[in-house]
């Protein structure tokens, strides 16, 4: 009965997760709280609270999961986690057929302690002000893999019927990481969950204090070892059950024909092992590695807090240090962006900002009246703006600026080639338009007179949305481009020019 109940829960939560990812588009999102799965992650709440010294209000959803884990154990991994369900399915395909071979596959290994070291490193990083948990967190990595790899590929194959043509820079790396983690199930079942998953390690530590646990009735056990053949967590039900590794899949209770193993309320402590095999010294060393990595990385490959032309953040993004202290790199904002302009950073934001969102206007601009990226951000790295706040009302209320545009006079058609072009001014969405013209008469090479409109930018009205760069007809590098200079989120980015016009 419990087996079918678990499978039903797995199916329901996986379908629900896939629905939320699917619905995170401008066409389908409506009022859905699509980021709910990311908000219930207690490790996201812990690390972002450590790094930013604040707890985003939406992350209080993680408290029920903590309480339920303290009651039922590490059930989330086998009953709810969408990546866990995928690994469960693939692990079932990759398992050995003979019982004794499966028992050997599912026996405890020293490598299973790596996830606790990963957890300690991630917590150390967060304590030093850098959130990197999203790189390995199962919910964030699954969301990112589906958003940046699977769904764009499916949509492009279907001629863009779902969300239009989508292309993500260096998305191949994310694809390899996502499918590589799934392929590890053919090394042995649930490799990622047992060896690498930091959320599983965190929930495993909580399950040391759970009220319900798997335990053996020694008087009924004949040491047949069948209970270990399909153990999802390699929790060693044949010996002393490891409470921290047990995923409450309940396969062992089904396999035991003598009723020698059961899921019980407060079993005797001697029937369970609650310690991890990672020594205190190794816990401390891993945590210190995380703490020390942040200043070392920032010193060698750090991000200059001043504006970077290639690092244009989404509207409502916090100032760069605060943004990196909260950004999960989950890809939710990239997925929901209606134009596809939000892309995963590779080197543009330094090592610490790997896969964080940046706007690349040549791929897609920031829609003038769109605030979806802030709506789906689970940690508050991107503030959920109101459209009126984003657009502003000059001069009393300046708009939210992502940066500012500038003309490359060597590539702009009027400036560089004496060719008539007014595209940038036509598509500029601000009111009044940030791009305006000065009419001048020039002398062509053959001596004839020609009247042209030469474009200029009014910084007071330019929001850096990138529409002009995106629509510029010049091939390859646009004649008008956007940089992060003058972005609202940082006072260091202010551009001071007479009249505010360039």
């Amino acid at each position: 009965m419990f087996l079918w109940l678990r499978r039903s829960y797995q199916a329901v939560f996986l379908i629900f997760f896939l629905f939320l990812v699917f619905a995170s588009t401008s066409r389908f999102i409506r009022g859905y709280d699509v980021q709910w799965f990311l908000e219930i992650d207690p490790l996201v709440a812990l690390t972002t609270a450590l790094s930013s010294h604040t707890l985003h209000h939406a992350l209080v959803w993680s408290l029920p999961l903590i309480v339920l884990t303290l009651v039922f154990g590490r059930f989330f991994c086998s009953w709810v986690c969408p990546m866990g369900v995928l690994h469960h399915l693939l692990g079932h395909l990759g398992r050995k057929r003979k019982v004794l071979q499966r028992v050997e596959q599912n026996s405890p290994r020293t490598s299973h302690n790596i996830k606790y070291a990963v957890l300690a490193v991630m917590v150390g990083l967060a304590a030093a002000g850098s959130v990197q948990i999203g790189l390995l967190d199962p919910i964030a990595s699954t969301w990112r893999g589906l958003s940046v790899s699977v769904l764009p590929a499916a949509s492009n194959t279907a001629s863009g019927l779902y969300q239009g043509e989508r292309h993500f820079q260096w998305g191949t790396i994310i694809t390899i990481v996502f499918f590589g983690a799934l392929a590890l199930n053919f090394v042995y079942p649930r490799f990622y969950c047992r060896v690498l998953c930091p959320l599983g390690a965190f929930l495993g530590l909580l399950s040391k204090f759970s009220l319900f646990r798997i335990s053996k009735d020694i008087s009924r056990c004949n040491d047949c070892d069948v209970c270990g053949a399909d153990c999802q967590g390699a929790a060693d039900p044949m010996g002393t059950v490891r409470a921290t590794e047990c995923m409450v899949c309940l396969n062992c209770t089904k396999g035991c024909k003598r009723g020698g193993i059961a899921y019980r309320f407060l079993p005797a402590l001697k029937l369970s092992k609650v310690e991890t095999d990672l020594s205190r010294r190794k816990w401390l060393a891993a945590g210190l590695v995380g703490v020390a990595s942040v200043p070392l990385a920032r010193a060698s490959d750090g991000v200059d807090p001043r504006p970077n032309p290639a690092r244009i953040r989404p509207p409502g993004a916090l100032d760069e240090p605060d943004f990196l202290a909260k950004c999960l790199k989950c890809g939710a904002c990239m997925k929901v962006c209606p134009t596809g302009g939000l892309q995963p950073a590779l080197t543009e934001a330094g090592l610490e900002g790997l896969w964080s969102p940046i706007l690349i206007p040549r791929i897609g601009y920031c829609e003038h009246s769109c605030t979806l990226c802030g709506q789906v951000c689970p940690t508050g790295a991107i503030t959920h703006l109101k459209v009126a706040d984003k657009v502003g009302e000059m001069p009393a209320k300046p708009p939210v600026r992502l940066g500012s545009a500038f003309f490359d006079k060597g590539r702009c058609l009027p400036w560089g080639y004496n060719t008539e072009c007014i595209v940038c001014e036509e598509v500029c969405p601000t009111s009044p338009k940030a791009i305006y013209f000065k009419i001048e008469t020039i002398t062509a090479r053959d001596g004839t007179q020609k009247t042209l409109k030469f474009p200029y930018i009014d910084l007071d009205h330019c929001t850096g949305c990138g529409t002009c760069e995106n629509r510029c007809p010049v091939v390859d590098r646009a004649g008008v481009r956007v940089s992060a200079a003058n972005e609202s989120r940082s006072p260091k980015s202010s551009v001071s020019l007479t009249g505010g016009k360039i």
Side-chain angles (χ1 to χ4, degrees):
M1 180 182 125
F2 281 111
L3 180 62
W4 285 106
L5 185 62
R6 173 173 56 77
R7 289 176 177 174
S8 299
Y9 270 87
Q10 286 178 320
V12 167
F13 279 109
L14 178 60
I15 292 171
F16 181 46
F17 179 82
L18 294 176
F19 167 76
L20 292 180
V21 177
F22 179 85
S24 59
T25 72
S26 56
R27 290 175 57 193
F28 304 118
I29 191 169
R30 298 191 180 95
Y32 297 126
D33 188 10
V34 295
Q35 70 278 12
W36 180 79
F37 258 98
L38 294 163
E39 292 171 348
I40 67 170
D41 190 329
L43 194 51
V44 169
L46 172 65
T47 52
T48 55
L50 282 174
S51 61
S52 65
H53 309 296
T54 58
L55 179 63
H56 186 54
H57 64 88
L59 295 177
V60 297
W61 279 108
S62 63
L63 294 177
L65 179 54
I66 292 175
V67 173
L68 290 173
T69 302
L70 292 172
V71 175
F72 298 108
R74 190 180 156 188
F75 75 97
F76 179 83
C77 301
S78 271
W79 291 66
V80 179
C81 180
M83 180 173 260
V85 177
L86 295 176
H87 284 287
H88 195 149
L89 292 172
L90 291 175
H92 183 76
L93 295 176
R95 69 175 186 166
K96 301 293 184 180
R97 298 306 170 196
K98 295 182 179 180
V99 172
L100 291 180
Q101 289 178 321
R102 297 208 306 271
V103 170
E104 183 179 355
Q105 272 190 324
N106 295 327
S107 60
R109 303 170 189 240
T110 305
S111 60
H112 296 175
N113 291 319
I114 293 176
K115 63 180 175 291
Y116 297 107
V118 170
L119 173 63
V121 169
M122 292 296 177
V123 171
L125 287 166
S130 178
V131 171
Q132 301 299 327
I133 193 62
L135 300 179
L136 286 174
D137 182 86
I139 302 177
S141 58
T142 304
W143 193 289
R144 182 174 56 246
L146 293 175
S147 299
V148 177
S149 175
V150 178
L151 288 178
S155 182
N156 294 348
T157 303
S159 302
L161 291 177
Y162 166 55
Q163 203 178 3
E165 290 284 333
R166 285 297 168 106
H167 304 278
F168 291 93
Q169 64 165 3
W170 297 101
T172 303
I173 298 177
I174 294 175
T175 301
I176 292 172
V177 171
F178 177 65
F179 284 102
L182 295 175
L184 288 173
N185 285 287
F186 295 97
V187 176
Y188 61 78
R190 297 196 78 148
F191 183 102
Y192 175 87
C193 306
R194 298 177 186 180
V195 178
L196 297 174
C197 181
L199 177 58
F202 181 67
L203 296 176
L205 294 179
L206 292 178
S207 66
K208 291 168 57 174
F209 311 100
S210 62
L211 302 181
F212 286 88
R213 296 179 195 167
I214 294 290
S215 66
K216 290 200 317 185
D217 184 343
I218 299 176
S219 64
R220 295 187 180 185
C221 179
N222 62 353
D223 295 324
C224 67
D225 290 346
V226 173
C227 56
D230 294 308
C231 177
Q232 291 294 306
D236 195 20
M238 305 88 73
T240 303
V241 182
R242 297 167 181 251
T244 55
E245 305 297 321
C246 177
M247 298 181 186
V248 199
C249 65
L250 303 180
N251 286 341
C252 56
T253 62
K254 174 179 175 292
C256 183
K257 305 302 181 183
R258 300 168 61 93
I261 191 163
Y263 183 54
R264 298 186 177 94
F265 177 72
L266 288 178
L269 290 178
K270 65 180 181 180
L271 300 178
S272 300
K273 180 180 179 180
V274 296
E275 301 84 10
T276 65
D277 289 334
L278 200 67
S279 65
R280 290 184 179 180
R281 182 176 298 178
K282 291 180 179 178
W283 273 105
L284 181 61
L288 291 176
V289 165
V291 172
S293 296
V294 176
L296 291 173
R298 288 175 178 173
S300 58
D301 189 28
V303 177
D304 191 328
R306 293 173 298 181
N308 181 333
R311 193 186 68 220
I312 304 172
R313 294 300 189 188
L318 303 178
D319 195 9
E320 192 65 13
D322 297 328
F323 179 80
L324 292 177
K326 285 193 170 187
C327 180
L328 195 58
K329 294 104 174 173
C330 60
C333 55
M334 305 174 207
K335 172 68 171 59
V336 81
C337 180
T339 67
L342 288 181
Q343 298 280 314
L346 190 65
T347 60
E348 297 88 346
L351 184 62
E352 192 177 356
L354 177 68
W355 294 344
S356 60
I358 56 173
L359 181 73
I360 301 184
R362 211 57 173 147
I363 297 177
Y365 56 91
C366 180
E367 184 67 50
H368 194 54
S369 60
C370 175
T371 60
L372 291 176
C373 53
Q375 179 179 331
V376 301
C377 181
T379 61
I382 305 173
T383 306
H384 186 193
L385 300 170
K386 295 179 180 178
V387 174
D389 294 330
K390 180 185 176 184
V391 174
E393 186 176 352
M394 293 292 289
K397 187 178 182 182
V400 172
R401 297 187 176 95
L402 283 66
S404 57
F406 65 95
F407 285 102
D408 183 339
K409 293 187 177 181
R411 297 194 62 77
C412 176
L413 293 178
W415 285 107
Y417 303 100
N418 293 334
T419 301
E420 186 74 34
C421 180
I422 60 172
V423 171
C424 56
E425 190 270 346
E426 286 182 328
V427 300
C428 180
T430 64
S431 180
K433 289 181 180 290
I435 297 177
Y436 66 99
F437 296 113
K438 288 184 179 180
I439 300 176
E440 298 182 21
T441 301
I442 56 102
T443 302
R445 184 177 183 180
D446 60 4
T448 59
Q449 299 289 307
K450 188 176 184 179
T451 300
L452 286 175
K453 293 181 177 180
F454 288 93
Y456 290 81
I457 292 172
D458 186 340
L459 284 181
D460 289 336
H461 294 94
C462 181
T463 63
C465 66
T467 307
C468 54
E469 180 177 349
N470 180 261
R471 299 293 180 84
C472 179
V474 177
V475 178
D476 56 72
R477 296 194 71 185
V480 57
R481 297 195 292 277
V482 175
S483 81
N486 215 37
E487 59 182 350
S488 297
R489 68 192 187 119
S490 173
K492 297 178 182 179
S493 71
S494 176
V495 175
S496 178
L497 293 173
T498 303
K501 298 173 175 63
I502 56 175

